[in-house]
Amino acid sequence: MTAVPKQTVMAIKSYHNQAQMLVKNYLLADPFIPYTSILGGILACKVAYDLTQLISNFYIKTYPSLTKIQRVEWNNRGISTIHAIFVSALSVYFVFWSDLFSDQQLAGLVVFRSSPLSTFGLGVSVGYFLLDLGMILWLYPSLGGMEYVIHHSLSGIAVAYAMSTGEAQLYTYMVLISELTTPEINMRWYLDTAGMKRSSAYLINGVVIFFAWLIARVLLFGYMFYHVYLHYDQVIQMHTFGYVLVFGVPSVLATMNLMWFGKIVRAGNRNPNSVVLGLKRSSTSFPIPKASKHSRKRLSEVSDMVEQLRAVRDGYLISLNIGTPAQVIQVYMDTGSDLTWVPCGNISFDCLDCDDYRNNKLMGTFSPSHSSSAVRDSCGSTFCLDIHSSDNSFDPCVEAGCSLSTLLKATCSRPCPSFAYTYGEGGLVTGTLTRDNLRVHGSSLEITRDIPRFSFGCVGSTYREPIGIAGFGKGVLSVPSQLGFLQKGFSYCFLAFKYANNPNISSPLFMGDVAVSSDDNLQFTPMLKSPMFPNYYYIGLEAITVGNISSAEVPLNLREFDSQGNGGMLIDSGTTYTHLPEPFYSQILSMLQSVVTYPRATDVETRTGFDLCYRVPCPNNRFTNDPFPSITFHFLNNVSLVLPQANYFYAMSAPSNSTGVKCLLFQGMDDGNYGPAGVFGNFQQQNVKVVYDLEKERIGFQPMDCAAAAASQGLHKN
């Protein structure tokens, strides 16, 4: 072994001693602790983000299939979880075990006490708030809306003030104990995103959050205010700004906590699996259908119907004329759900996490008090039993408060109890089941007919669902079921998205014989029957061809179901983009990358969350028919649907400097362990006539110019 020269050893010892002196005299010196702790907090957050990403890639099978924005939020929640564990543990120590803030100590006023450790802990939190706020602003609004900007700004200011001045550190730590709930809230989001919403872990998590919220965000805030009351003679000696912070910030947070706790209790009384517990921020998701267990019933028989569908940025709206006199409410047309619901109450309607839709003119509301024919549905109706999804027909009436004798005699006239209806990984609506007159069009727009006692949800509060929905599934509550079209069918021809928000042209929607009578040039694929979700429309995918390249083998679960009923491809007008399972989706991306020679627009991919974006030449700043390879979907029964190019590569903005960006509007999803294995979304259905032949249990496709079809039906205004 070669000996190390003495000079080298001395040099190493010298550097070591200098480093120790630097840490002792500067980094850990009292005047520098705030700065080093903030920097340390930021660096710790970066490490937590990278570790979450690394661990999730190796051990979480759902993680690779998430969109880029979802992965960013997943990793970001890793940061908030680590910070919450650190700061809540430190807070509990200082508030309940440390002598630093004890009244038994005679070391000055409690509100002015601090230590290097307490200052360091607050500095780490300031670093977290700074970094997280920076991520929110950088990716705004993907990681959260303005409420999170305000929350982080106020929290950061309050914690930074206590750190830098040493005032009210005890009360700051009392408030920070509320971070005890953050790991459980994040775990709930992780379980939701991983498709484990019906697992026992999800239910246990909800129970844990209930008690953690009660203790850390309700009872402890009461204890803090009581402590302030006992030590008010000290609090009043603080600087005016600190005095305002002590009373202002906890009061606002306590009010919000109580409001949320009230929602938790009310939702928990209905169904522990439906409780919305701090589902922070939004994520790309698609509706998972809600199964119905009851028999079908026709409310009315109508031979034919034609309605107008208006294209908007993420779907197609149908106008419902409800009430006497009629109130016109625009709602999404959704084949992936049963319930039809409308927002109720101009002032009282409340939508959480719907910032993008604030002041949106589409958000019309229904007022039952202004309709002479509106009535609350009764607890014993078929619709009430269906919305509550109970095997016991007595359950809704028991909840409504009916006596045992009225239950046995079936004479209870109590109204149907309020319901909660969920939409998979995202939306939740709560409301009451209402009946009222529905006016529909006949075989032409000039002919109208009134459908009495149409059943729909009168919804007062929602989560991520700002606009009502018309359910077109096969369940009792759906529009086709209530209008008597389940033995016939319906069809539509979605306008291209370039017509979005254009009031002069509408997509045609046909129901009844007229929808299925003509099958010229239509290719029909069989409608698969899902054992898990029998009310919704499934088809089987055999292959996807990119240009002249045959796709890799399609997984079996895209054309058949497992023993639990998982699998199949859901065709859904309420989901914007087509979702394909991993690793099949990644294989499609690789095939496209191998034949597309345009330069990638990775900055746009990061900003939008789409996986393939390209910069394409635009002579005279106009998009042309770019030579992107064709994409063909091959369904069961030898049905081949060549997608129009605008249905998969779409312009993200107007061209500039003779260049524009187009992105592939497909998305990946998990491997289909629960629910559908894939979804055929409405964006890929543009300029395609889609026929739901319910009598013969098949779905037909025919590419066509839907704008021309709309004009031929008189749906084009000149």
Side-chain angles (χ1 to χ4, degrees):
M1 178 180 293
T2 305
V4 179
K6 186 175 182 180
Q7 277 187 316
T8 303
V9 173
M10 294 299 293
I12 293 174
K13 288 184 177 181
S14 175
Y15 286 124
H16 178 69
N17 292 334
Q18 291 179 42
Q20 284 184 322
M21 292 294 293
L22 176 65
V23 171
K24 180 179 179 181
N25 295 334
Y26 293 97
L27 297 183
L28 297 183
D30 288 352
F32 294 98
I33 285 179
Y35 308 105
T36 55
S37 60
I38 293 174
L39 179 61
I42 294 174
L43 292 176
C45 289
K46 179 63 169 64
V47 172
Y49 185 96
D50 292 340
L51 284 176
T52 303
Q53 184 179 37
L54 180 65
I55 294 172
S56 300
N57 263 318
F58 279 98
Y59 296 104
I60 308 297
K61 63 179 180 181
T62 308
Y63 182 83
S65 65
L66 301 178
T67 66
K68 291 183 179 179
I69 291 299
Q70 282 181 309
R71 290 196 291 268
V72 169
E73 181 171 357
W74 183 290
N75 302 334
N76 179 270
R77 286 177 182 269
I79 296 176
S80 63
T81 299
I82 297 299
H83 166 259
I85 294 172
F86 167 79
V87 77
S88 58
L90 200 61
S91 299
V92 170
Y93 166 74
F94 277 124
V95 173
F96 297 109
W97 282 300
S98 173
D99 292 332
L100 178 62
F101 301 113
S102 173
D103 287 333
Q104 307 303 319
Q105 296 295 316
L106 302 177
L109 302 182
V110 169
V111 296
F112 295 113
R113 292 182 195 171
S114 64
S115 71
L117 179 59
S118 66
T119 301
F120 176 82
L122 295 178
V124 172
S125 279
V126 172
Y128 161 74
F129 284 120
L130 286 174
L131 183 134
D132 203 36
L133 179 61
M135 291 186 67
I136 293 174
L137 293 174
W138 182 260
L139 298 171
Y140 188 86
S142 298
L143 288 184
M146 185 53 62
E147 68 273 19
Y148 297 108
V149 175
I150 295 173
H151 173 272
H152 277 45
S153 299
L154 288 177
S155 300
I157 291 171
V159 176
Y161 179 83
M163 174 200 68
S164 59
T165 65
E167 291 186 1
Q169 288 196 0
L170 170 61
Y171 299 131
T172 304
Y173 274 115
M174 285 184 177
V175 172
L176 287 173
I177 289 178
S178 63
E179 288 294 315
L180 276 169
T181 61
T182 298
E184 294 86 1
I185 292 171
N186 286 343
M187 179 56 67
R188 195 169 189 82
W189 185 90
Y190 285 135
L191 292 171
D192 216 346
T193 304
M196 299 176 63
K197 194 170 184 178
R198 296 196 177 186
S199 66
S200 58
Y202 191 84
L203 179 60
I204 294 171
N205 175 266
V207 175
V208 172
I209 291 180
F210 173 84
F211 287 105
W213 197 287
L214 175 64
I215 295 171
R217 291 184 179 264
V218 178
L219 299 179
L220 277 176
F221 270 73
Y223 172 75
M224 192 212 76
F225 287 124
Y226 178 68
H227 195 282
V228 171
Y229 168 76
L230 293 178
H231 297 79
Y232 184 73
D233 58 324
Q234 298 184 27
V235 174
I236 202 171
Q237 298 182 47
M238 294 173 55
H239 188 277
T240 304
F241 186 69
Y243 178 86
V244 171
L245 288 177
V246 166
F247 283 95
V249 174
S251 297
V252 172
L253 294 178
T255 302
M256 295 173 63
N257 290 338
L258 286 172
M259 291 174 59
W260 271 103
F261 190 66
K263 293 179 183 290
I264 291 172
V265 172
R266 289 194 296 272
N269 286 336
R270 280 293 317 121
N271 181 358
N273 289 318
S274 298
V275 180
V276 179
L277 294 166
L279 296 180
K280 174 186 171 189
R281 302 172 186 170
S282 61
S283 61
T284 305
S285 61
F286 61 92
I288 301 291
K290 179 180 178 180
S292 170
K293 303 178 182 179
H294 302 283
S295 61
R296 301 184 180 95
K297 175 183 177 182
R298 294 186 182 185
L299 181 66
S300 176
E301 290 289 345
V302 182
S303 59
D304 287 316
M305 270 181 58
V306 58
E307 297 290 342
Q308 304 177 74
L309 298 175
R310 178 185 171 189
V312 291
R313 64 178 185 177
D314 52 1
Y316 295 84
L317 301 178
I318 182 173
S319 293
L320 298 180
N321 294 268
I322 302 178
T324 308
Q327 302 175 44
V328 182
I329 313 295
Q330 290 190 316
V331 299
Y332 284 113
M333 184 260 184
D334 181 21
T335 60
S337 64
D338 285 333
L339 175 68
T340 294
W341 66 268
V342 297
C344 282
N346 289 319
I347 299 176
S348 58
F349 178 71
D350 180 32
C351 184
L352 304 175
D353 201 5
C354 296
D355 292 338
D356 289 349
Y357 287 86
R358 299 297 181 197
N359 302 318
N360 194 311
K361 294 181 180 179
L362 300 177
M363 292 178 63
T365 56
F366 176 74
S367 178
S369 62
H370 293 163
S371 172
S372 61
S373 51
V375 294
R376 182 89 171 262
D377 208 348
S378 64
C379 68
S381 77
T382 305
F383 302 117
C384 184
L385 298 179
D386 189 80
I387 194 67
H388 288 281
S389 298
S390 172
D391 292 322
N392 186 343
S393 59
F394 289 142
D395 282 354
C397 291
V398 168
E399 187 173 345
C402 296
S403 65
L404 180 59
S405 60
T406 58
L407 288 176
L408 297 176
K409 296 175 183 178
T411 58
C412 181
S413 59
R414 292 290 181 91
C416 181
S418 299
F419 65 82
Y421 194 91
T422 57
Y423 290 92
E425 298 178 4
L428 169 71
V429 301
T430 61
T432 58
L433 209 56
T434 304
R435 293 191 188 226
D436 207 339
N437 187 68
L438 174 67
R439 178 164 295 175
V440 299
H441 294 93
S443 56
S444 68
L445 296 178
E446 290 75 29
I447 302 173
T448 61
R449 179 172 179 179
D450 290 342
I451 309 299
R453 296 180 60 78
F454 179 80
S455 187
F456 61 96
C458 191
V459 168
S461 60
T462 70
Y463 178 70
R464 294 184 182 172
E465 295 293 342
I467 301 174
I469 291 175
F472 270 69
K474 293 181 284 186
V476 175
L477 286 159
S478 74
V479 173
S481 176
Q482 293 197 56
L483 299 186
F485 290 128
L486 286 185
Q487 302 307 316
K488 298 177 183 178
F490 59 92
S491 67
Y492 52 72
C493 193
F494 287 155
L495 290 171
F497 269 38
K498 68 180 180 179
Y499 293 105
N501 300 317
N502 185 336
N504 297 319
I505 185 168
S506 304
S507 301
L509 167 67
F510 298 100
M511 302 185 70
D513 294 330
V514 67
V516 297
S517 58
S518 174
D519 58 3
D520 295 341
N521 301 318
L522 278 165
Q523 299 183 78
F524 284 96
T525 187
M527 192 182 296
L528 305 183
K529 295 181 180 180
S530 167
M532 180 179 292
F533 301 122
N535 294 345
Y536 307 109
Y537 309 105
Y538 284 83
I539 51 181
L541 181 67
E542 290 191 307
I544 292 180
T545 302
V546 177
N548 296 321
I549 305 175
S550 297
S551 65
E553 184 178 354
V554 173
L556 286 175
N557 62 357
L558 276 172
R559 55 183 179 272
E560 60 184 44
F561 303 101
D562 63 18
S563 58
Q564 285 77 42
N566 302 299
M569 184 168 227
L570 180 73
I571 177 169
D572 185 9
S573 68
T575 296
T576 308
Y577 310 121
T578 289
H579 291 67
L580 297 172
E582 291 288 359
F584 177 63
Y585 174 64
S586 293
Q587 294 170 0
I588 299 299
L589 295 182
S590 298
M591 293 164 61
L592 284 166
Q593 292 179 70
S594 68
V595 294
V596 178
T597 58
Y598 295 125
R600 290 276 292 276
T602 54
D603 57 325
V604 179
E605 294 174 3
T606 302
R607 187 174 68 252
T608 62
F610 294 116
D611 293 294
L612 281 184
C613 294
Y614 292 99
R615 301 191 187 280
V616 298
C618 298
N620 301 318
N621 279 336
R622 292 184 179 180
F623 282 106
T624 59
N625 291 326
D626 308 293
F628 283 108
S630 62
I631 295 182
T632 304
F633 277 68
H634 303 276
F635 300 111
L636 293 175
N637 202 31
N638 295 319
V639 172
S640 296
L641 177 61
V642 181
L643 297 183
Q645 189 180 110
N647 288 22
Y648 50 100
F649 275 107
Y650 191 74
M652 291 292 101
S653 60
S656 176
N657 297 325
S658 298
T659 303
V661 175
K662 289 189 175 183
C663 293
L664 177 71
L665 300 195
F666 287 5
Q667 291 184 331
M669 58 184 290
D670 61 27
D671 58 5
N673 284 336
Y674 179 81
V679 183
F680 194 54
N682 63 51
F683 193 86
Q684 279 64 49
Q685 299 176 47
Q686 301 171 81
N687 282 324
V688 176
K689 181 180 179 181
V690 183
V691 176
Y692 294 73
D693 188 342
L694 302 183
E695 182 181 7
K696 297 181 179 178
E697 297 183 332
R698 57 183 187 169
I699 293 180
F701 300 99
Q702 179 185 354
M704 67 167 50
D705 185 342
C706 292
S712 67
Q713 296 296 324
L715 304 181
H716 200 320
K717 299 178 183 179
N718 296 321

